[in-house]
């Protein structure tokens, strides 16, 4: 994402600050959506409606999550998918929890250096565009596994709404059109993608027009009738493999036939008495959120205040230390021994606190590990049902519209997830992440992710469901929403709307959303040696649910709505719907 920004650097004693005129960029948040029996929050309003209908029909939160996943593949094509992959965190009404990993895998023919030229330099765009960028998709296997093990309704019931929207089309609103316009240039390069997502004259669709996806309807219908084999063993896999072979990719039928979902134990930790359940490796999300929270637990954030220089400084230093661990130590658990216990240890957090200088910015280069040489267009949704089962799903094509290619006849947009691997240790990926050997490309390996579908409990009951898209920033977006509710007393809508900060170790920069901090706060931080990049772009689209009230204060007082849902004000077409 290219955007202009203003950068503040403290140089000796002279400090020059330039500011854009202050506008009412962050007005008061709207009230959260309320529901007594269920809540569905997604990035596209039609998908939210589908999820609520499933709950009303007697389906549970997992049923709703599957229906929403298939529907988003139709109505939210830039990130909803059956050609990508993702994660599902589930907390059952009895307090048990589980995690499904249906993320993409590297094809069998992958090699560690497949995106480097003969001189060992990364080939521009090779891991982002076209068939060589495509990992083996996992979404269909993930949804089928979830439905078979934990759902209650039939596949036909759950897929019918998605098939209807693909076959009959759906009317485009402003948010839908903006996203299609944003992808138009890349989609135009692939004839099959252009035929679906652009009009016959090559122009993007306009508001009020209908997007029909007949090939996708046929693919979804085949899956509805035959289950996952339709995707992994039948004509859909054949079509994708054929297109890949013709257009410079390396996907083989065996990649599809051997794809398997992993059911893993979620990462759990405790923050000020709240039980956090989140994504384990191959996601870095849960581990790094917990590592940062463990560090922050030693400081009185609620007393220091939201957005104060001291709170921001402590958050940045906790992020800096945790992202070093993320980028150097974590990877696919089938290939890498992840030091999860150490990173979650409260004593390790204490060691990090002891290293934080109370007066000066830390220096990222000093934390370089020995031997050390993801997209805005993910989507997250949160669901709770009447029994108190909670589901958090984050899934993705990686970049917007993924690799921007569709295999003829399938209607399925394919991911460019291979960019999430380390192409070369020390070389930044799409999100500027500098990563190490633990995340190098190997056949059947899953790339390290930041996706963080998270469920928070208190006193043994669900308290909050939260997650977001945003590439490497997913971790800090999810973390800040939790801190905003628990430490700063915001209601769930304010917590997801509040301006964000982000630091990921390298580059050594604190990113700040427009009007995210006051000029005075920025000046104090710059004076301590922080390099601040105040962007003109916002990031993320968090989807949150709070149980028992819209804020901690209302929960303590009692009498609030049972479920309180919030879709990020940054999400143009999303909606929180309760019933």
């Amino acid at each position: 994402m290219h955007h202009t920004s203003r950068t503040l650097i403290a140089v000796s004693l002279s400090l020059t600050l330039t500011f854009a005129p202050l506008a009412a960029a962050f007005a008061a948040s709207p009230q959260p959506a309320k529901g007594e029996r269920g809540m569905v929050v997604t990035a596209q309003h039609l998908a939210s409606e589908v999820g609520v209908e499933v709950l009303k029909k007697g389906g549970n939160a997992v049923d709703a999550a599957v229906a929403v996943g298939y529907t988003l593949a139709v109505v939210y094509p830039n990130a909803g998918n059956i050609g990508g992959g993702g994660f599902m965190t589930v907390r059952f009404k009895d307090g048990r929890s589980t995690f499904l990993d249906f993320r993409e895998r590297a094809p069998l023919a992958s090699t560690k250096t497949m995106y480097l030229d003969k001189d060992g330099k990364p080939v521009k765009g090779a891991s982002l565009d076209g068939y060589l960028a495509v990992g083996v998709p996992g979404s269909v296997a993930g949804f089928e596994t979830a439905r078979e093990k934990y759902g209650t309704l039939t596949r036909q019931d759950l897929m019918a709404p998605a098939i209807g929207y693909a076959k009959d089309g759906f009317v485009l609103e402003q948010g839908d059109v903006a996203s299609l316009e944003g992808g138009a240039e890349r989609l135009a390069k692939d004839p099959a993608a252009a035929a679906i997502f652009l009009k016959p004259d090559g122009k993007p669709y306009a508001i009020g027009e209908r997007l029909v996806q007949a090939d996708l309807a046929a693919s979804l219908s085949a899956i509805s009738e035959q289950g996952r084999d339709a995707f992994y063993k039948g004509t859909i896999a054949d079509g994708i493999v054929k297109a890949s072979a013709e257009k410079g990719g390396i996907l083989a039928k065996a990649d599809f036939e051997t794809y398997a979902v992993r059911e893993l134990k979620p990462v759990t930790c405790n923050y000020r008495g709240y039980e956090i359940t989140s994504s384990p490796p191959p996601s870095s999300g849960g581990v790094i959120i917990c590592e940062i929270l463990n560090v922050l637990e030693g400081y009185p954030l609620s007393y220091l205040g939201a957005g104060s220089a001291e709170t921001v400084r402590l958050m940045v230093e906790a992020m800096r230390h945790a992202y070093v661990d993320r980028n150097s130590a974590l990877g696919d658990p089938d290939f890498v021994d992840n030091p999860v216990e150490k990173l979650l240890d409260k004593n390790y957090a204490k060691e990090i606190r002891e290293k934080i200088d109370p007066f000066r910015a830390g220096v990222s280069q000093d934390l370089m590990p020995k031997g050390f040489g993801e997209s805005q267009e993910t989507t997250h949704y949160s669901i709770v049902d009447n029994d108190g089962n909670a589901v958090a799903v984050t899934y993705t094509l990686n970049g917007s519209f993924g690799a921007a290619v569709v295999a003829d006849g399938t209607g399925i947009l394919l991911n460019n997830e291979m960019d999430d691997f380390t192409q070369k240790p020390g070389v930044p990926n799409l999100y500027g992440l500098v990563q190490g050997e633990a995340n190098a490309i190997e056949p059947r390996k899953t790339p390290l992710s930041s996706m963080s579908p998270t469920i928070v409990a208190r006193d043994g009951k669900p308290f909050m469901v939260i997650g977001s898209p945003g590439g490497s920033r997913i971790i800090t977006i999810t973390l800040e929403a939790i801190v905003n509710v628990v430490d700063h007393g915001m209601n769930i809508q304010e917590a997801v709307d509040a301006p964000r900060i982000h630091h990921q170790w390298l580059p050594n920069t604190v990113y700040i959303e427009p009007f995210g901090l006051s000029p005075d706060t920025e000046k104090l931080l710059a004076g301590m040696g922080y390099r601040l990049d105040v962007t003109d772009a916002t990031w993320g689209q968090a989807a949150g649910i709070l149980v028992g009230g819209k804020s901690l204060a209302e929960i303590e007082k009692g009498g609030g709505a049972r479920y309180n849902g919030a879709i990020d004000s940054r999400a143009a077409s999303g909606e929180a719907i309760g019933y």
Side-chain angles (χ1 to χ4, degrees):
M1 188 176 282
H2 300 289
H3 53 256
T4 57
S5 59
R6 52 203 173 93
T7 301
L8 313 185
I9 307 178
V11 185
S12 66
L13 293 173
S14 66
L15 185 61
T16 314
L17 301 180
T18 54
F19 291 101
L22 210 58
F26 285 95
S29 290
Q31 286 301 305
K34 299 194 182 311
E36 292 302 323
R37 303 184 61 189
M39 180 65 67
V40 178
V41 189
T42 87
Q44 215 283 348
H45 58 103
L46 296 174
S48 299
E49 288 168 14
V50 165
V52 168
E53 283 307 311
V54 168
L55 295 181
K56 285 180 177 169
K57 264 206 306 216
N60 65 18
V62 173
D63 291 317
V66 171
V68 165
Y70 282 122
T71 303
L72 285 169
V74 179
V75 299
Y76 197 67
N78 55 321
N81 69 80
I82 56 171
F87 300 132
M88 180 183 290
T89 305
V90 186
R91 186 184 190 279
F92 301 101
K93 60 185 177 190
D94 62 5
R96 289 177 306 125
S97 61
T98 192
F99 178 83
L100 295 180
D101 162 23
F102 54 95
R103 185 152 161 80
E104 301 90 331
R105 313 260 190 271
L108 293 163
S110 308
T111 63
K112 195 167 153 180
T113 55
M114 63 191 277
Y115 300 116
L116 306 181
D117 64 18
K118 58 182 193 332
D119 301 322
K121 292 194 172 65
V123 177
K124 193 171 160 47
S127 64
L128 287 171
D129 300 314
Y131 283 87
L132 196 60
V134 181
V136 185
S139 292
V140 172
F143 293 141
E144 282 308 288
T145 302
R147 185 191 62 76
E148 284 163 7
K149 286 195 80 168
Y150 304 115
T152 62
L153 300 181
T154 67
R155 185 171 57 241
Q156 289 74 14
D157 273 347
L158 298 179
M159 293 190 70
I163 293 167
Y165 282 129
K167 195 165 82 189
D168 305 329
F170 65 101
V171 176
L172 299 167
E173 296 189 1
Q174 189 178 348
D176 310 315
V177 166
S179 124
L180 287 168
E181 281 174 349
E185 199 179 318
R186 289 181 70 230
L187 294 164
K189 293 178 183 160
D190 182 67
I196 301 166
F197 298 108
L198 299 172
K199 290 194 284 196
D201 61 3
K203 289 195 167 62
Y205 283 90
I207 295 171
E209 292 182 331
R210 191 174 277 272
L211 178 64
V212 175
Q213 303 172 71
D215 287 344
L216 182 57
S219 291
L220 289 168
S221 296
I223 296 164
S224 176
E225 285 158 28
Q226 301 152 35
R228 56 171 289 168
D229 283 0
F231 187 91
Y232 291 93
K233 295 185 174 164
T235 52
I236 297 174
D238 291 336
I240 295 171
V241 168
K242 179 172 181 279
S244 174
E246 286 167 3
K247 295 175 183 172
I250 54 170
L251 290 167
K253 191 72 182 279
D255 288 316
F256 285 81
E257 290 169 343
T258 58
Y259 184 90
V261 174
R262 281 186 289 200
E263 185 157 8
L264 303 166
K265 193 170 166 291
V267 159
T268 56
C269 62
N270 191 291
Y271 179 64
R272 306 195 199 279
Y274 293 83
E275 191 67 36
I276 315 278
T277 300
S278 192
S279 48
S283 179
S284 59
V287 178
I288 300 306
I289 285 171
C290 284
E291 183 178 339
I292 296 171
L293 287 172
N294 283 345
V295 173
L296 294 177
E297 200 172 39
Y299 303 109
L301 295 190
S302 58
Y303 169 77
L304 297 170
S308 69
E310 190 61 5
T311 292
V312 171
R313 185 183 78 74
L314 294 169
M315 290 178 73
V316 166
E317 294 304 334
M319 290 171 187
R320 184 196 313 276
H321 282 270
Y323 270 83
V324 177
D325 294 333
R326 180 213 181 274
N327 298 358
S328 58
L330 298 176
D332 184 332
D334 288 354
F335 292 79
V336 175
D337 193 7
N338 289 287
V340 172
E341 260 179 53
K342 177 195 168 183
L343 300 185
L344 294 182
D345 191 333
K346 299 275 187 190
N347 289 322
Y348 180 59
K350 186 167 169 278
E351 286 169 30
I352 291 175
R353 283 196 295 270
E354 282 161 6
K355 290 180 194 157
I356 294 174
D357 185 319
F359 306 109
R360 299 291 305 156
V363 181
S364 287
Q365 279 64 22
D366 294 351
L367 302 180
M368 191 68 82
K370 290 182 181 63
F372 190 77
E374 95 230 50
S375 140
Q376 304 296 67
E377 298 311 333
T378 298
T379 189
H380 175 87
Y381 51 98
S382 297
I383 300 175
V384 184
D385 65 23
N386 193 36
D387 292 333
N389 300 299
V391 179
V393 177
T394 313
Y395 76 146
T396 184
L397 290 167
N398 194 30
S400 188
F401 298 98
V405 292
V406 172
D408 279 329
T410 65
I412 298 167
L413 276 162
L414 295 167
N415 68 82
N416 59 357
E417 205 60 70
M418 295 294 286
D419 186 65
D420 270 8
F421 281 112
T422 304
Q423 293 172 48
K424 184 180 183 179
V427 173
N429 74 354
L430 178 61
Y431 306 111
L433 275 175
V434 175
Q435 309 183 92
E437 234 13 273
N439 191 34
I441 302 168
E442 292 177 65
R444 284 203 186 152
K445 190 175 183 181
T446 294
L448 185 64
S449 171
S450 299
M451 293 189 286
S452 310
T454 300
I455 299 168
V456 183
R458 181 165 89 148
D459 304 328
K461 297 189 182 70
F463 170 75
M464 184 178 184
V465 188
I466 187 72
S468 178
S472 57
R473 301 177 187 201
I474 291 173
I475 291 168
T476 52
I477 294 167
T478 308
L479 165 94
E480 286 168 57
I482 294 169
V483 167
N484 286 344
V485 167
V486 170
D487 291 304
H488 302 314
M490 295 184 197
N491 75 35
I492 184 65
Q493 187 71 56
E494 293 163 346
V496 300
D497 285 352
R500 299 178 176 137
I501 60 156
H502 173 75
H503 196 289
Q504 59 183 38
W505 172 52
L506 289 176
N508 187 7
T509 302
V510 184
Y511 296 97
I512 302 165
E513 282 191 317
F515 314 107
L517 299 176
S518 74
D520 297 0
T521 303
E522 290 176 0
K523 188 176 171 187
L524 286 168
L525 291 165
M528 290 182 216
Y530 288 96
R531 183 174 192 276
L532 309 181
D533 183 341
V534 186
T535 69
D536 64 359
T538 59
W539 62 80
Q541 293 185 0
I545 299 172
L546 207 58
V547 181
K550 66 180 180 182
S551 64
L552 263 183
E554 190 174 87
I555 292 170
E556 316 273 280
K557 201 169 72 191
R562 183 178 174 203
Y563 294 139
N564 301 265
I567 185 69
D568 205 317
S569 295
R570 300 164 186 80
S573 58
E575 193 173 1
I577 306 179
Y579 90 103

